[in-house]
Amino acid sequence: MPVESEAPAPLGLAAPLLAWYDRNARDLPWRLPPGTPAVPDPYRVWLAEVMLQQTTVEAAREPYARFLARWPTVAALAAADDAEVMAAWAGLGYYARARNLLRCARTVAAAGGAFPRSEGELRRLPGLGPYTAAAVAALAFGARTLPVDANVARVGARLFALQPEGPALLRAVGERLRPEVPADRAGDFAQALMDLGAVVCRPRAPDCPRCPLAARCHARALGLAEAFPRRTPRRARPTRRGSVWWVEADGRVALVRRPPRGLLAGMLALPGTGWSAEQPRALPFPGDWRWAAEPVRHGFTHFDLVLEVAGIRLAVPPAFAEGLIWTSRDSLAGLPTVFRKAAAVGRELARA
Ligand code: SF4
């Protein structure tokens, strides 16, 4: 006879967790306080969740406010100029998110301007993976689901002393915690777990005496709170090298636009060489160049980049490459972080 797998019975985590959340919810600009009668705006929830992937809460606050001021609705964002959105995304990294943000906004706007309410329909929107779809469904529409981010995964791993790592852990935590989601406060339940993970059940030194779930926590009972979740050893990332050039003339600096595909596609950049394992220092033309004493280092997902920076200041703008974009040296806010770091060094070199 086939054995039916059963969902685990709820442990009653919602009541103590939500009581704690009602007193301790973080004050975040994309969130409504617990107990408020207002209805969340799906556009704001979605925008925040996309920004918060790979970006800390603190780093997301300012760009979130800037985006909302510039594009207050999904229709406004859908009508935005691509280059302007990419420039506004500068500093948040992982620029594929910004491209997907635009594609998703245009898809929603073309369908009438309302986000779909179900997790399944949300999954079909461009750029919405399982996490974001569950987050929008729960936080904006109160669907009885649970987005499992790193904070929720850590809390779940400890509560149930779970052994899996990586994606298997996310699945296991979702399976164990979803039955706990209350029908009437699904969004608050998810946000409460996120806050608990951020403030109490921290990666290091979890504050178990302050935890509303301490009496039900397996890892704590074992005296092994910090041992969960198990940590996957990091694989060493390869290093790539290259040179970038700060070429300044008449108060302006030469920029280029990166190719439409690949890393930082379509973004503004300082001109320079390609990046490879063994890239020697190189210059685009002879002159009174200065090299920075220390290279700029930047970590991408799959490799570390080491950029040698050279700077020069000239009286007349040279035409040393195709497609140069001469831009005021004081308005480079649209550069991605790696080139902003290099620009800060180059600016000093040209001034020296
Ligand atoms: Fe985390 Fe400690 Fe609470 Fe367990 S008791 S969930 S380890 S803070």
Side-chain angles (χ1 to χ4, degrees):
M1 209 170 141
V3 178
E4 288 185 15
S5 66
E6 288 179 12
L11 301 173
L13 303 181
L17 181 65
L18 289 170
W20 174 86
Y21 181 66
D22 288 343
R23 294 190 307 275
N24 297 284
R26 287 180 294 174
D27 181 13
L28 300 175
W30 42 82
R31 209 190 251 187
L32 296 174
T36 179
V39 178
D41 176 353
Y43 171 63
R44 291 174 178 232
V45 171
W46 163 74
L47 181 63
E49 289 301 330
V50 175
M51 283 191 174
L52 288 166
Q53 294 162 24
Q54 316 284 350
T55 302
T56 64
V57 162
E58 288 316 311
R61 281 180 190 268
E62 192 276 329
Y64 175 78
R66 188 156 29 89
F67 260 71
L68 266 193
R70 179 72 186 83
W71 301 292
T73 63
V74 71
L77 183 59
D81 176 63
D82 288 51
E84 195 185 349
V85 173
M86 296 307 286
W89 196 265
L92 286 166
Y94 297 90
Y95 291 88
R97 287 183 297 162
R99 282 186 283 280
N100 279 330
L101 194 81
L102 266 175
R103 287 174 55 218
C104 180
R106 287 170 183 160
T107 303
V108 172
F115 278 83
R117 299 176 70 89
S118 79
E119 195 176 348
E121 288 173 292
L122 285 161
R123 275 298 300 276
R124 288 198 278 278
L125 291 173
L128 266 79
Y131 171 80
T132 313
V136 175
L139 274 51
F141 299 119
R144 209 166 159 225
T145 185
L146 182 68
V148 181
D149 68 358
N151 282 328
V152 177
R154 184 169 57 258
V155 174
R158 289 172 177 173
L159 275 173
F160 303 108
L162 296 174
Q163 295 291 336
E165 302 166 30
L169 175 65
L170 301 185
R171 277 195 301 278
V173 168
E175 282 165 18
R176 300 297 287 265
L177 282 176
R178 231 166 259 125
E180 309 289 333
V181 179
D184 58 339
R185 293 187 69 184
D188 281 352
F189 183 84
Q191 292 175 137
L193 282 172
M194 293 171 186
D195 284 14
L196 191 72
V199 178
V200 176
C201 195
R202 303 169 297 230
R204 309 259 174 231
D207 192 356
C208 300
R210 277 183 56 215
C211 178
L213 305 180
R216 296 163 171 86
C217 180
H218 284 66
R220 187 188 188 220
L222 294 167
L224 291 171
E226 267 196 64
F228 294 90
R230 288 172 49 189
R231 288 180 185 85
T232 317
R234 281 199 172 192
R235 256 188 277 155
R237 288 186 298 189
T239 298
R240 293 193 200 164
R241 300 172 190 281
S243 301
V244 283
W245 311 312
W246 176 272
V247 183
E248 185 181 325
D250 195 21
R252 293 179 301 153
V253 64
L255 301 181
V256 291
R257 192 163 296 281
R258 290 181 59 82
R261 299 203 184 284
L263 192 65
L264 307 176
M267 303 293 295
L268 286 173
L270 291 181
T273 64
W275 305 336
S276 63
E278 298 294 335
Q279 176 69 47
R281 279 183 171 186
L283 292 168
F285 54 85
D288 186 17
W289 289 91
R290 289 170 197 275
W291 285 99
E294 291 290 330
V296 163
R297 297 174 189 277
H298 189 77
F300 289 102
T301 316
H302 300 298
F303 66 96
D304 290 319
L305 180 63
V306 177
L307 279 182
E308 304 280 354
V309 186
I312 192 168
R313 189 164 59 184
L314 301 162
V316 179
F320 64 92
E322 285 189 12
L324 293 175
I325 303 164
W326 290 93
T327 308
S328 166
R329 50 167 279 154
D330 299 317
S331 61
L332 301 178
L335 287 176
T337 305
V338 59
F339 291 111
R340 269 199 272 172
K341 289 185 197 172
V345 175
R347 188 181 276 123
E348 291 306 313
L349 289 172
R351 189 179 291 160

